[in-house]
């Protein structure tokens, strides 16, 4: 609810100051929040509270603080921090999806190595998809989110992959301790 309020106030503030691009960004954040809520409702998925909180914090950091309030220029390597966070979050989203799909098929006990591999590959694939999205938007709208460099793109993908490896290792250790 706080995010909706901040975005609503931002739409008004940036609109009054003539910064219409920022007003549009605030509106798009509201749209993303509504899509996130709609997706959860539509799929009838009850995200674990920690995962739901992580996604909302990620949206706050990336869309609101970094883009809307220009913190990329204030916090060094914020983009890389975001990609590190996204790898972990996407790993756990992949794990959640795999377990949810398996339960719908009536499988309650799954080999942890399959879940770990799926979640890891899901996170890496999503890191790649995000970079494809950035590339496409940059070229279609003349933006510069990739800093015009293959190096930026590759480091972003590496950050997402490294943090997915860390999450995989964590889940692997956790699953061996249960045995």
């Amino acid at each position: 609810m706080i995010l909706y309020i901040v975005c609503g106030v931002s739409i008004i503030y940036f609109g009054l100051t003539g910064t219409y691009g920022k007003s549009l960004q605030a509106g798009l954040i509201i749209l993303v929040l509504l899509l996130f809520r709609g997706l959860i409702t539509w799929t009838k998925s009850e995200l674990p509270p920690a995962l739901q909180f992580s996604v909302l914090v990620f949206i706050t950091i990336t869309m609101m603080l970094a883009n809307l309030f220009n913190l990329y220029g204030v916090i060094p390597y914020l983009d890389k921090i975001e990609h590190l966070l996204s790898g972990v979050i996407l790993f756990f989203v992949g794990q959640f999806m795999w377990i949810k799909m398996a339960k719908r098929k009536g499988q309650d006990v799954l080999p942890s190595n399959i879940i770990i591999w799926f979640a890891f590959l899901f996170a890496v694939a999503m890191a790649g998809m995000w970079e494809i999205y950035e590339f496409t938007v940059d070229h279609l709208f003349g933006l510069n989110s990739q800093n015009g460099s293959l190096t930026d793109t590759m480091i972003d993908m590496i950050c997402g992959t490294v943090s997915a490896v860390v999450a995989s290792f964590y889940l692997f250790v956790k699953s061996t301790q249960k045995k």
Side-chain angles (χ1 to χ4, degrees):
M1 190 49 85
I2 294 170
L3 295 177
Y4 288 109
I5 293 169
V6 171
C7 287
V9 170
S10 295
I11 290 171
I12 295 166
Y13 172 77
F14 288 124
L16 291 173
T17 60
T19 317
Y20 302 115
K22 294 287 185 181
S23 288
L24 177 63
Q25 280 182 330
L28 290 174
I29 294 169
I30 291 174
L31 180 64
V32 167
L33 292 169
L34 290 171
L35 286 172
F36 178 60
R37 178 176 279 182
L39 183 63
I40 290 170
T41 304
W42 177 59
T43 59
K44 298 177 182 127
S45 298
E46 188 64 35
L47 281 180
L51 186 55
Q52 189 169 357
F53 179 75
S54 298
V55 171
L56 291 175
V57 167
F58 188 75
I59 290 170
T60 301
I61 292 170
T62 59
M63 296 185 80
M64 188 175 293
L65 299 177
N67 284 326
L68 193 59
F69 298 119
N70 299 321
L71 286 187
Y72 282 122
V74 176
I75 301 172
Y77 304 108
L78 179 58
D79 181 54
K80 303 313 170 220
I81 294 166
E82 291 170 351
H83 284 280
L84 286 166
L85 287 172
S86 73
V88 173
I89 292 169
L90 287 169
F91 175 86
F92 288 107
V93 167
Q95 175 197 20
F96 173 78
M97 288 173 51
W98 181 268
I99 291 170
K100 189 80 169 167
M101 288 186 296
K103 284 185 179 179
R104 284 189 180 165
K105 298 275 185 187
Q107 298 173 336
D108 288 335
V109 179
L110 298 166
S112 60
N113 61 336
I114 292 174
I115 297 170
I116 293 168
W117 274 109
F118 177 83
F120 170 73
L121 293 172
F122 177 82
V124 172
M126 291 299 101
M129 290 300 296
W130 180 255
E131 292 304 316
I132 291 170
Y133 162 79
E134 280 187 351
F135 175 83
T136 303
V137 169
D138 281 359
H139 282 76
L140 288 177
F141 300 111
L143 301 174
N144 193 28
S145 59
Q146 292 184 312
N147 297 320
S149 87
L150 178 61
T151 302
D152 179 73
T153 300
M154 293 309 298
I155 291 173
D156 289 351
M157 290 175 64
I158 290 167
C159 285
T161 301
V162 166
S163 61
V165 166
V166 170
S168 299
F169 183 72
Y170 165 79
L171 197 60
F172 173 76
V173 169
K174 191 175 173 183
S175 70
T176 56
Q177 288 174 346
K178 282 185 178 181
K179 293 177 184 178

